[in-house]
Amino acid sequence: MTGMHSLWRRALAEALGTGLLVTVVVGSGIAAAKLSPGDIGLQLLENSFATALGLAVLILMLGPVSGAHFNPVVSAADWWLGQRDGSGLSLRELAAYVPAQISGAIAGAILANLMYGEAAVSWSTTDRTAGHLWIGETVATAGLIVLIFSLVWSGRAALAPAAVGAYIGAAYWFTSSTSFANPAVTIGRAFSDTFAGIAPSSVPGFVFFQVFGAILGAGLVVVLYPGLGSAADVVVPHTGTTESESTDSGVSS
């Protein structure tokens, strides 16, 4: 990996970014249900539009610090694909990123609940356990991994904020599962019994097929881009300091 911020600062950025992403997803879902009662299609449109825009903004805002993974399977793919040439996250960095993402996601759901006058934690009762939904999560996650790493490996990482936001916004509609595609976000959404929630009993199935989709996606990246290089600096290339330096990084997207 290129020059980096200290690990604690990058982990904080991952927690903050994942948390705010869940706040956007859950908060916009609550708002949509209140503003458009009885119209599920319009609610989904409002929720997906806010999520796509919010994700793009968060990538731009925090990508220069941590790479803006906001997703354990993206971080794991970054580590695994980086083994090809010694780039990507180290195991130590992966071990810091994933707990930060999960804890941030939970905090983000709680924040959204509180902003709308809901109980801080209200376990979702929305069952999402079905084979066609698992297929949807596999497709959504595989596509996300292919998109991110094809952009990075072909030198187009600067397009990631718009492209990833657009992909997630579209995948709300073309996948049966409405494209969670993120284990941390899935866990966080279980803490809110609102429009965007998922029952805790449905979480393991979604996470399993998200991991499976990430493996498929990483395999496709290797097949499609065999001669291209680094998996580092996902989602946004970030430059800056080593752990012993203190100057600010520059946004390179």
Side-chain angles (χ1 to χ4, degrees):
M1 185 175 287
T2 58
M4 64 184 80
H5 291 281
S6 59
L7 182 54
W8 72 264
R9 188 175 290 112
R10 286 183 286 132
L12 176 60
E14 286 297 302
L16 181 62
T18 312
L20 290 175
L21 174 58
V22 174
T23 299
V24 169
V25 172
V26 174
S28 64
I30 297 172
K34 290 179 179 293
L35 293 170
S36 307
D39 192 335
I40 299 298
L42 183 55
Q43 291 171 14
L44 186 62
L45 178 62
E46 293 160 346
N47 189 211
S48 62
F49 183 70
T51 300
L53 293 181
L55 178 56
V57 169
L58 289 170
I59 292 171
L60 286 169
M61 183 167 63
L62 296 169
V65 181
S66 67
H69 297 199
F70 309 153
N71 188 332
V73 296
V74 172
S75 297
D78 187 47
W79 166 77
W80 184 76
L81 291 169
Q83 304 307 298
R84 291 158 54 91
D85 60 2
S87 63
L89 293 180
S90 68
L91 276 176
R92 175 172 173 262
E93 291 166 329
L94 180 62
Y97 270 40
V98 172
Q101 291 159 351
I102 293 172
S103 60
I106 295 170
I110 292 171
L111 175 60
N113 288 336
L114 292 174
M115 282 199 300
Y116 281 92
E118 306 286 341
V121 174
S122 56
W123 298 110
S124 176
T125 57
T126 303
D127 180 66
R128 300 180 189 265
T129 302
H132 68 282
L133 300 180
W134 296 335
I135 293 172
E137 278 304 285
T138 302
V139 170
T141 311
L144 179 63
I145 295 297
V146 172
L147 170 63
I148 290 171
F149 288 93
S150 65
L151 289 175
V152 172
W153 284 19
S154 60
R156 298 174 294 157
L159 298 175
V164 174
Y167 175 80
I168 293 299
Y172 260 80
W173 290 91
F174 74 75
T175 65
S176 56
S177 62
T178 66
S179 183
F180 286 46
N182 184 328
V185 168
T186 303
I187 293 169
R189 288 169 70 162
F191 284 72
S192 183
D193 189 20
T194 57
F195 179 79
I198 177 173
S201 60
S202 299
V203 168
F206 263 51
V207 170
F208 177 87
F209 284 96
Q210 289 160 358
V211 172
F212 179 58
I215 293 170
L216 290 180
L220 283 172
V221 172
V222 172
V223 171
L224 293 172
Y225 293 89
L228 294 180
S230 173
D233 297 333
V234 177
V235 169
V236 171
H238 53 292
T239 59
T241 65
T242 63
E243 301 226 4
S244 60
E245 296 172 333
S246 60
T247 57
D248 291 335
S249 69
V251 177
S252 53
S253 60

